[in-house]
């Protein structure tokens, strides 16, 4: 394989060389762009032919089959062949469809394999995978598999590089870069080819820290301000404040970024126990809840019995999810049952069609048999009638001859 300047000079030498008999042909199994002839010097004993450098374009990178032939004055032909590779641009990278689909989503709760695809007209010699977690570089291991290798060693090699999910077990932001070098000395990396692989693994739920209150706390005031700090290891999506299992306030991701996750909740006084609970979700889909805080805010009056009735906001949410899951399972079951019934109906139709076809075939065979029998009986009757007629004719002829005598 060649990656630099390649100018071919072909020299044909023979004392008895026949002028003009030389032939030089280039062919390629993988595209290519053959060089142009730039000059030749002929003599009594041969010829020297010069070619220009191969184009320094991606189209010219290919495996070439060069055939040179010439003839002498006695008619003898000499042929030489050469197979070589021009490779100045190295590998071309891509991603396996499953990995590409995964990387369309930035945040993930579970690690997954990252699978690169590589194509090169030369053999790939060295492979390095660089994994950066939260900006810190580490060399990772990748399993390289050859997907195709053209016969004759003159085609495109295709490789599959698997960076296992075990490399991404910890929560954080990951960047993955593939770097390879080939037999021609070319070096390539996925980042330079504008193939960024960047994603976040987040397995930790958000945390909601409540300050200023305690469970079954009694506060003699017209109103009470509760402090809440909502935080996540990567990015928050939303937070919801529930009062008595009903949504009181909702904060978007932008609001949470703006206030740093610091919430100030003002609750009015009430003669009954109130229940406060906070919910938060991050961008990966992890969810976090605080425990439910029963509290009494009242300027005066007796303290009611410490008794809280009704489900908490989290219990209601869990029950709603369970119901949705059951509905989804039921929907899938109905779909499968309908599909099974449709397939069974189609099978029954096919069986009925086959049975009808068999009975029709049997009926046709019976008709053919009966027709054959009728033909045989007709032939027998014709034969008998012919014999009888012949006998009568002979009898009549004999009687006439007797009378004449």
């Amino acid at each position: 394989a060649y990656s630099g300047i390649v100018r071919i000079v072909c020299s044909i030498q023979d004392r008895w060389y026949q002028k003009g008999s030389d032939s030089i042909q280039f062919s390629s199994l993988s595209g290519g762009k053959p060089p142009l002839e730039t000059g030749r010097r002929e003599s009594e004993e041969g010829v020297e032919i010069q070619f220009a450098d191969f184009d320094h374009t991606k189209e010219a990178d290919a495996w070439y089959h060069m055939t040179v032939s010439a003839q002498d004055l006695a008619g003898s032909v000499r042929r030489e062949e050469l197979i070589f590779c021009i490779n100045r641009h190295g590998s071309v990278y891509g991603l396996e469809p499953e990995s590409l689909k995964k990387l369309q989503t930035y945040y993930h709760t579970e690690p997954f394999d990252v699978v690169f695809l590589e194509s090169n007209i030369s053999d790939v010699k060295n492979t390095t995978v660089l994994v950066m977690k939260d900006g810190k570089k580490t060399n990772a291991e990748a399993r390289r598999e050859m997907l195709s290798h053209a016969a004759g060693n003159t085609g495109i090699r295709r490789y599959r590089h698997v960076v296992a999910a075990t490399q991404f077990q910890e929560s954080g932001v990951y960047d993955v870069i593939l770097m390879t070098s080939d037999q021609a000395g070319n070096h390539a990396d996925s980042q330079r080819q504008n193939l960024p692989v960047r994603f976040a693994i987040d397995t930790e739920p958000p945390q909601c820290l409540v300050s200023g209150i305690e469970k079954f706390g009694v506060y003699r005031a017209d109103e009470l301000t509760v402090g809440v700090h909502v935080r996540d290891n990567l990015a928050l999506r939303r937070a919801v404040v529930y009062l008595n299992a009903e949504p009181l306030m909702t904060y978007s991701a932008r609001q949470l970024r703006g206030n740093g996750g610091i919430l100030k909740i003002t609750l009015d006084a009430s003669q009954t126990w109130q229940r406060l609970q906070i919910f938060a979700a991050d961008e990966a889909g992890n969810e976090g809840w605080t425990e439910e805080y029963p509290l009494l805010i009242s300027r005066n009056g007796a303290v009611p019995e410490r008794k809280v009735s009704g489900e908490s906001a989290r219990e209601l949410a869990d029950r709603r999810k369970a119901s949705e899951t059951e509905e989804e399972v039921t929907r899938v079951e109905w779909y499968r049952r309908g599909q099974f019934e449709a397939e069974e109906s189609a099978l029954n139709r096919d069986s009925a069609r086959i049975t009808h076809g068999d009975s029709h075939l049997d009926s046709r065979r019976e008709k053919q048999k009966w027709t054959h029998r009728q033909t045989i009986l007709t032939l027998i009757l014709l034969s008998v009638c012919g014999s009888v007629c012949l006998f009568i004719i002979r009898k009549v002829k004999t009687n006439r001859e007797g009378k004449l005598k």
Side-chain angles (χ1 to χ4, degrees):
Y2 302 93
S3 59
I5 296 174
V6 181
R7 293 192 180 97
I8 296 176
V9 177
C10 182
S11 179
I12 301 173
Q13 298 294 326
D14 190 296
R15 184 177 180 181
W16 310 107
Y17 166 69
Q18 181 176 332
K19 290 185 178 181
S21 67
D22 62 276
S23 172
I24 301 177
Q25 296 180 344
F26 291 91
S27 62
S28 174
L29 299 176
S30 54
K33 189 176 181 182
L36 299 175
E37 183 179 324
T38 57
R40 62 171 53 218
R41 290 184 298 180
E42 292 201 34
S43 65
E44 294 295 330
E45 296 184 354
V47 62
E48 184 180 271
I49 306 159
Q50 297 91 26
F51 291 89
D53 186 16
F54 287 78
D55 284 354
H56 287 239
T57 60
K58 186 67 178 175
E59 291 74 22
D61 283 6
W63 279 92
Y64 292 91
H65 184 189
M66 180 180 176
T67 305
V68 181
S69 64
Q71 183 175 317
D72 61 18
L73 294 175
S76 300
V77 177
R78 175 79 179 271
R79 180 188 299 271
E80 294 289 343
E81 296 182 359
L82 178 66
I83 296 175
F84 60 95
C85 174
I86 301 295
N87 183 3
R88 298 189 178 103
H89 295 81
S91 295
V92 176
Y93 297 128
L95 287 168
E96 205 168 55
E98 184 65 26
S99 294
L100 193 60
K101 183 179 179 181
K102 283 280 189 181
L103 291 169
Q104 290 176 352
T105 303
Y106 184 74
Y107 292 97
H108 300 267
T109 57
E110 295 181 355
F112 55 91
D113 291 348
V114 175
V115 183
F116 289 94
L117 300 176
E118 179 182 15
S119 299
N120 198 317
I121 60 174
S122 300
D123 289 331
V124 172
K125 296 299 184 182
N126 300 308
T127 302
T128 303
V129 175
L130 184 65
V131 174
M132 299 177 63
K133 176 180 175 293
D134 299 329
K136 296 181 180 179
K137 297 181 181 180
T138 58
N139 287 335
E141 296 181 358
R143 186 176 73 254
R144 186 173 73 182
E145 304 169 356
M146 176 167 277
L147 299 179
S148 63
H149 196 300
N153 203 37
T154 58
I156 296 177
R157 288 97 164 120
R158 292 183 172 84
Y159 301 89
R160 185 173 181 263
H161 303 272
V162 181
V163 187
T166 54
Q167 307 283 343
F168 317 116
Q169 291 294 325
E170 299 179 0
S171 293
V173 177
Y174 289 91
D175 291 276
V176 185
I177 302 171
L178 174 66
M179 299 179 290
T180 58
S181 60
D182 60 26
Q183 189 179 26
N186 298 300
H187 297 270
D189 69 70
S190 56
Q191 200 170 40
R192 290 182 182 178
Q193 293 194 16
N194 195 26
L195 188 67
V197 176
R198 184 181 176 87
F199 57 94
I201 299 294
D202 186 0
T203 60
E204 303 172 18
Q207 294 180 337
C208 305
L209 306 178
V210 181
S211 61
I213 59 172
E214 60 183 11
K215 294 182 69 174
F216 289 102
V218 178
Y219 305 94
R220 295 300 185 179
D222 293 329
E223 62 180 26
L224 178 67
T225 300
V226 180
V228 179
H229 185 193
V230 183
R231 62 189 185 188
D232 187 69
N233 59 324
L234 289 179
L236 289 165
R237 178 183 294 175
R238 65 189 179 103
V240 183
V241 178
Y242 288 90
L243 185 64
N244 300 326
E246 294 290 336
L248 179 65
M249 289 180 287
T250 300
Y251 296 86
S252 65
R254 178 180 295 182
Q255 290 173 316
L256 292 169
R257 286 194 301 269
N259 58 27
I262 305 297
L263 313 181
K264 292 184 178 181
I265 306 164
T266 302
L267 303 177
D268 294 331
S270 174
Q271 297 300 316
T272 59
W273 290 99
Q274 301 184 72
R275 296 175 293 149
L276 181 69
Q277 194 168 25
I278 315 298
F279 164 81
D282 61 24
E283 291 289 357
N286 299 302
E287 297 179 351
W289 290 85
T290 66
E291 57 183 339
E292 190 176 59
Y293 288 86
L295 48 88
L296 179 67
I297 306 170
S298 177
R299 171 64 68 179
N300 49 41
V303 177
E305 180 185 358
R306 288 190 175 190
K307 185 177 180 181
V308 177
S309 60
E311 294 178 295
S312 68
R314 181 172 188 174
E315 290 170 342
L316 289 172
D318 290 343
R319 187 154 57 84
R320 193 180 303 114
K321 282 184 181 179
S323 176
E324 291 174 355
T325 303
E326 290 176 1
E327 289 178 2
E328 181 64 24
V329 170
T330 303
R331 193 180 300 115
V332 171
E333 288 294 333
W334 274 104
Y335 171 76
R336 290 177 178 173
R337 185 180 301 174
Q339 191 177 25
F340 174 76
E341 291 176 353
E343 292 174 354
E344 190 176 21
S345 176
L347 184 62
N348 292 335
R349 287 198 302 271
D350 292 341
S351 300
R353 192 181 297 113
I354 292 171
T355 303
H356 178 71
D358 290 343
S359 62
H360 180 70
L361 183 62
D362 293 341
S363 175
R364 189 169 58 185
R365 286 176 179 172
E366 289 296 328
K367 288 181 180 179
Q368 289 176 350
K369 288 180 180 179
W370 175 245
T371 303
H372 184 63
R373 290 170 183 168
Q374 284 182 328
T375 303
I376 292 173
L377 289 173
T378 302
L379 290 174
I380 292 173
L381 288 173
L382 288 173
S383 178
V384 170
C385 290
S387 300
V388 171
C389 291
L390 184 60
F391 175 77
I392 294 173
I393 291 171
R394 287 178 179 176
K395 189 69 174 174
V396 170
K397 187 176 179 180
T398 302
N399 293 335
R400 286 182 179 178
E401 289 176 355
K403 288 180 180 181
L404 290 173
K405 290 179 179 178

